[in-house]
Amino acid sequence: MKKIKKLLALVMAMTMVLGMAITVSAAPGRMPGEGDSKTATVQNVEVGATVTAYQITVATYAGDNKDEGFTGYSRAEYITDAMLADPNAPTSDEVTKLAKDSTLLNSLKKVTMDPNADADGDGYTSYTANLAPGYWLVLVTGTDIIEVYNPMLVGVYYSVSGTDGTMASDPVNANANWTLETADAYAKSTKPQVVKTITDEKDKNSVGIGDTVDFKIEADIPSYSDQYTEVEVVISDTLSEGLTLNSESIAINIGGEAYIPGDTLVTGTDSFILTLPSDDVLTKYNGEKVEITYTATVEENIHYNFDPNTNTATLEYSNNPSNAEDTTTTDDKTYTYTFGIDALLYGNSETYTETTNEIIKVDEDGNVISTVTEISQTPPEGKTEVLTGATFKLTNNETKKEYTATTDVDGKLEFTGLDEGTYTLVETAAPSGFTVDTAEHTVEIRATYDAEGKLTSYTIKIDGDVTSTYTATYEGEEVKEINSAPTTKEIVNTKLASLPSTGGIGTTIFTIGGCVIMIAAAALFFVNRRKSEEN
């Protein structure tokens, strides 16, 4: 009997526990309330952007009673009914005006959205944040981005089973089978670009001193949406050392029509800045293309060999509708080169100080003809010292431009600022104590470039032989290594003292004989004159 009572007691206890479990699982759902949030997403945004969500409508709650809970949406603090007529359905015009109001945005609750770590190969990713129920105005800004983004609207809302999934303000309480849902956004933007080119195909990669280079800049004015009331759009260009801007050659075209800039264009000897008026951009030129052409002259101090003449065009523009001073930039470059013989391999670089050695002046014994300030008593071994070096003229066979140079203390002949092409090299003055070499030498300069226009290698041939080949590898914009394979061309001068004789008795006897004949002729003249006077 006792065992039966114990068994009945155990059964009753289990029944009570089971009943309690059934009661908990059947309890009403959680009450909607403050602190609810849902992860919202904005897709297709550049990596490095700042994505900010501003709450413009908020959820309202009636308390903790299970029959109450979420009661609807209302305007966020500081937003009036004139700014937003229906909290459940903001219009595009209302969103545009809200996005323009920087003072209002600074007053609203805001959340900075975080980028997804897995960006796609184009440098775009999605941004996410936990947002409270309501509508959020999302703006994309940043100084390191290149696109102009339209304002977006993200919604976080309560959804009850059986509804159509739209953001509605029907009350939701603990008895409802509710969830939080999001209306995410896909960023729409324009991507302004600037492209700088050299339009003369012949001088596209290499130029020579005295050349005129034709440049063209093409830039996009951003397609600003209506939320922008003031913007900055600036196009600037900077020339490298050795190029002088011909400011009178600047011509500007916007949207297919000539544009007269007036005082919005500021020029210098090596640069210009064009600032487009904000009103003109937003009313007449929004989304149009700008084309600027101009010329520059190559000067004596132009960079040469692997030292590039890098010229940069920059487009700066506003990318924040609530602050025109928030700008971003994009740029494009051109690379032009000149070449040197017996010159530094990398122009003005402090890293690569190697000097090339394509031509050297020697005497008939193979000794280097070296210039000095005064002749030494004992010239260094392998050198013949002279007071003056050999002077050469180098003529471009196509352009007929002429360059001159004189051999130096090492017998080298330095020319710089040369264009690619074929040249004729002629000695015009011999070193002191030597005869002029009358031979004409053919000099060829040929180069190759990568897709961006950077110099990858160049070769110098003299009299048909490969004299020197130089090849560079790059790491980004910078030259990482230069490999050289030089061969030196020796140009020989003959000493005056070693001119070959005629094989006879020489010229001295003829000189003496000539003098005797002249004296005899003079004596005969005076004798005949005296006789004439006596008669």
Side-chain angles (χ1 to χ4, degrees):
M1 187 66 178
K2 289 182 180 180
K3 291 182 179 180
I4 295 175
K5 289 182 178 180
K6 289 182 180 180
L7 180 61
L8 290 174
L10 178 62
V11 171
M12 290 179 65
M14 293 180 61
T15 301
M16 290 176 64
V17 170
L18 182 61
M20 290 175 61
I22 293 174
T23 301
V24 171
S25 63
R30 184 178 66 80
M31 181 75 71
E34 300 285 350
D36 290 346
S37 66
K38 177 78 173 181
T39 299
T41 302
V42 176
Q43 298 177 336
N44 193 44
V45 179
E46 291 171 78
V47 174
T50 298
V51 182
T52 308
Y54 300 89
Q55 190 167 23
I56 61 174
T57 68
V58 296
T60 57
Y61 303 94
D64 295 329
N65 188 297
K66 69 178 183 179
D67 293 325
E68 299 180 68
F70 167 73
T71 58
Y73 298 98
S74 63
R75 303 172 191 86
E77 188 179 6
Y78 304 111
I79 293 181
T80 65
D81 56 358
M83 299 176 182
L84 184 58
D86 183 357
N88 294 314
T91 67
S92 59
D93 287 342
E94 289 172 336
V95 171
T96 294
K97 292 178 180 178
L98 292 173
K100 294 178 183 179
D101 194 335
S102 59
T103 301
L104 172 67
L105 294 178
N106 288 332
S107 302
L108 296 177
K109 177 183 178 181
K110 63 181 181 180
V111 175
T112 300
M113 305 184 77
D114 297 321
N116 189 326
D118 299 325
D120 62 29
D122 294 329
Y124 293 82
T125 190
S126 59
Y127 285 71
T128 60
N130 285 327
L131 302 180
Y135 272 121
W136 296 76
L137 169 65
V138 179
L139 298 179
V140 179
T141 59
T143 57
D144 296 328
I145 62 175
I146 62 174
E147 300 195 21
V148 174
Y149 291 83
N150 295 335
M152 293 164 279
L153 202 61
V154 169
V156 178
Y157 59 94
Y158 290 99
S159 176
V160 178
S161 177
T163 63
D164 60 2
T166 59
M167 191 165 179
S169 59
D170 295 335
V172 178
N173 60 28
N175 293 323
N177 184 15
W178 62 268
T179 58
L180 269 180
E181 303 295 339
T182 61
D184 296 332
Y186 187 90
K188 295 181 180 180
S189 61
T190 60
K191 186 177 182 179
Q193 291 182 311
V194 61
V195 177
K196 184 174 184 179
T197 55
I198 299 172
T199 57
D200 187 340
E201 287 299 322
K202 176 185 175 300
D203 290 330
K204 194 171 186 64
N205 296 113
S206 71
V207 296
I209 293 173
D211 282 350
T212 298
V213 188
D214 299 324
F215 290 103
K216 179 169 70 173
I217 299 171
E218 297 172 287
D220 299 322
I221 296 176
S223 295
Y224 287 113
S225 53
D226 291 341
Q227 78 269 20
Y228 285 86
T229 57
E230 185 177 359
V231 295
E232 288 186 12
V233 176
V234 180
I235 302 171
S236 60
D237 188 83
T238 302
L239 298 171
S240 60
E241 182 183 19
L243 284 173
T244 298
L245 171 68
N246 302 319
S247 57
E248 71 282 355
S249 69
I250 298 176
I252 304 171
N253 186 293
I254 303 181
E257 297 182 355
Y259 177 80
I260 308 301
D263 59 4
T264 62
L265 176 67
V266 178
T267 63
T269 58
D270 62 353
S271 63
F272 69 79
I273 300 175
L274 173 65
T275 303
L276 297 178
S278 177
D279 289 343
D280 286 352
V281 169
L282 295 175
T283 57
K284 295 189 291 186
Y285 304 127
N286 196 19
E288 296 286 0
K289 288 188 175 294
V290 181
E291 180 181 286
I292 303 174
T293 58
Y294 70 93
T295 65
T297 302
V298 181
E299 306 294 351
E300 294 281 347
N301 59 337
I302 195 76
H303 298 185
Y304 53 88
N305 291 339
F306 285 103
D307 190 4
N309 300 282
T310 305
N311 307 308
T312 305
T314 302
L315 171 64
E316 180 181 6
Y317 53 92
S318 299
N319 66 344
N320 186 347
S322 60
N323 188 352
E325 295 182 358
D326 283 352
T327 62
T328 190
T329 61
T330 182
D331 58 41
D332 194 30
K333 300 176 181 178
T334 61
Y335 306 88
T336 52
Y337 294 86
T338 69
F339 298 93
I341 295 173
D342 285 1
L344 287 169
L345 191 56
Y346 194 110
N348 299 321
S349 170
E350 296 181 359
T351 303
Y352 301 97
T353 57
E354 177 185 351
T355 300
T356 65
N357 193 6
E358 288 84 27
I359 299 173
I360 192 168
K361 198 67 175 169
V362 298
D363 63 18
E364 66 268 37
D365 297 323
N367 296 317
V368 173
I369 299 176
S370 172
T371 58
V372 291
T373 55
E374 59 182 33
I375 296 181
S376 305
Q377 295 294 322
T378 305
E381 184 179 352
K383 285 190 177 183
T384 299
E385 294 184 338
V386 295
L387 287 174
T388 59
T391 301
F392 281 81
K393 179 176 69 175
L394 185 67
T395 305
N396 187 303
N397 292 356
E398 180 180 353
T399 65
K400 306 306 178 185
K401 286 189 296 185
E402 296 182 351
Y403 306 82
T404 60
T406 301
T407 56
D408 63 10
V409 67
D410 296 315
K412 298 173 68 174
L413 189 66
E414 183 182 44
F415 290 98
T416 58
L418 304 177
D419 196 353
E420 280 190 74
T422 302
Y423 295 79
T424 299
L425 180 68
V426 178
E427 185 173 337
T428 58
S432 53
F434 289 83
T435 60
V436 172
D437 174 23
T438 59
E440 291 188 351
H441 303 277
T442 300
V443 178
E444 297 177 66
I445 302 174
R446 296 289 180 260
T448 60
Y449 308 87
D450 66 13
E452 295 178 346
K454 295 194 294 290
L455 178 66
T456 55
S457 69
Y458 74 94
T459 297
I460 296 178
K461 290 183 180 181
I462 300 179
D463 294 335
D465 298 323
V466 175
T467 299
S468 304
T469 298
Y470 307 98
T471 303
T473 55
Y474 287 83
E475 193 171 80
E477 291 285 319
E478 301 298 324
V479 172
K480 180 180 180 182
E481 184 180 12
I482 300 176
N483 294 314
S484 60
T487 303
T488 303
K489 172 73 175 181
E490 294 183 348
I491 298 180
V492 181
N493 276 121
T494 303
K495 294 178 182 178
L496 287 172
S498 62
L499 285 172
S501 66
T502 60
I505 59 176
T507 61
T508 303
I509 190 170
F510 294 105
T511 303
I512 296 173
C515 291
V516 171
I517 292 172
M518 290 177 65
I519 293 171
L524 182 62
F525 171 76
F526 286 113
V527 170
N528 289 335
R529 182 175 179 182
R530 180 176 294 176
K531 287 182 178 182
S532 297
E533 290 175 350
E534 290 176 354
N535 293 333

